[in-house]
Amino acid sequence: MNLPTYFISHGGGPWPYMEDMRKAMHVLEESLVDIPRQLPHKPKAILMISAHWEDHAFRVMSNPAPGMLYDYGGFPEHTYHVHYSAPGSHELAERVIELIRSAGLPALADAQRGFDHGAFAPLAVMYPDADMPVVQLSLRAGLAPAEHLALGRALAPLRAEGVLIIGSGLSYHNLRRFGPLAKEPSSSFDDWLQDSLIASSTTERVARLINWEEAPAARVAHPREEHLLPLMVAVGAAEDEVASCVYHEENIFGGVVASSFRFGAIA
């Protein structure tokens, strides 16, 4: 049975490791905890497409024992020593590279890359035991929506092989307009996302995503689109399947409206 795919809003920095921040993000935490319960079976592995990794080609983490990448600043000292101990998978990395190259897209192995917070922060909540292999996959520089939808299509066979595909970003990502200033643009963009992903036909959904810059408040919500592009991969890998909103909050980060989505029905 095919696993669904997900686009998750992953929160801010190392939030699961900070008591006050984790409490403030309890709605997000509840949604992440619920994802494993939605699956027909426990995944054999996770493929995580993080907004925090870009390269000239699609880079695939191939280290069997990935380290950590503390890609944030200004947080308490202990958050620079946390460790998510999930193993990597050289076998899955090779399979991912094979699928991407078969689709005519560039892919390279990366044996040095560690888990960034777009991966380890949500996974620390979803799978705190870190007991299954996790492989990260980068975005490609240029951030072309059609290319990342094509990437998702290339990866679709993994769903029948027990691999959970997660695109990790944020449905609104304008660090200069968090707080009350985020309310109007994030709400407008979220309304467009809900309509495009859930209320539109699958064909229209793809067309809207390719032309996402035409959405209301698009460039306010995403001055740079790296936190939106993981959505394209999740959609491409489940292109003809139903979408559901699995997380929605109207006051995260002091005023941001944010959402997460599943593609594929619950068994």
Side-chain angles (χ1 to χ4, degrees), residues 135-263:
V135 169
Q136 270 196 245
L137 169 60
S138 79
L139 303 173
R140 190 181 183 198
L143 303 176
E147 187 171 54
H148 288 78
L149 284 160
L151 171 65
R153 295 183 191 109
L155 299 172
L158 295 174
R159 299 173 56 208
E161 298 170 17
V163 177
L164 179 62
I165 299 172
I166 302 174
S168 176
L170 268 173
S171 60
Y172 174 92
H173 193 256
N174 185 338
L175 298 181
R176 294 184 177 184
R177 289 191 62 165
F178 272 17
L181 287 176
K183 183 67 175 180
E184 184 176 343
S186 65
S187 179
S188 295
F189 191 74
D190 192 271
D191 286 346
W192 177 86
L193 272 179
Q194 300 286 345
D195 187 56
S196 298
L197 298 177
I198 296 173
S200 300
S201 69
T202 55
T203 301
E204 185 181 4
R205 179 169 72 189
V206 168
R208 283 183 170 220
L209 291 178
I210 289 173
N211 297 296
W212 74 272
E213 289 178 273
E214 298 175 4
R219 279 299 179 188
V220 179
H222 292 280
R224 192 173 185 278
E225 56 264 46
E226 80 286 345
H227 274 71
L228 183 65
L229 264 291
L231 169 64
M232 314 301 178
V233 187
V235 169
E239 188 167 9
D240 297 322
E241 299 198 37
V242 64
S244 305
C245 182
V246 295
Y247 161 71
H248 180 77
E249 189 167 2
E250 299 196 354
N251 197 34
I252 195 170
F253 301 122
V256 171
V257 178
S259 295
S260 301
F261 299 90
R262 182 185 68 244
F263 303 94

Side-chain angles (χ1 to χ4, degrees), residues 42-147:
K42 184 175 180 179
K44 294 180 180 177
I46 295 171
L47 179 65
M48 178 73 77
I49 301 92
S50 170
H52 293 276
W53 190 14
E54 299 172 39
D55 207 281
H56 68 279
F58 292 112
R59 288 267 181 177
V60 185
M61 177 189 286
S62 61
N63 193 328
M68 299 288 286
L69 180 61
Y70 305 114
D71 56 337
Y72 41 73
F75 290 94
E77 178 63 23
H78 78 270
T79 64
Y80 299 90
H81 303 280
V82 299
H83 188 69
Y84 189 71
S85 58
S89 170
H90 184 70
E91 180 182 9
L92 177 56
E94 288 188 333
R95 175 66 171 143
V96 170
I97 290 171
E98 173 194 18
L99 289 170
I100 296 173
R101 288 178 175 171
S102 294
L105 299 169
L108 297 170
D110 191 316
Q112 304 303 316
R113 180 77 179 189
F115 294 129
D116 62 52
H117 80 270
F120 73 75
L123 288 176
V125 175
M126 292 172 62
Y127 292 103
D129 294 337
D131 58 353
M132 73 182 76
V134 177
V135 169
Q136 270 196 245
L137 169 60
S138 79
L139 303 173
R140 190 181 183 198
L143 303 176
E147 187 171 54

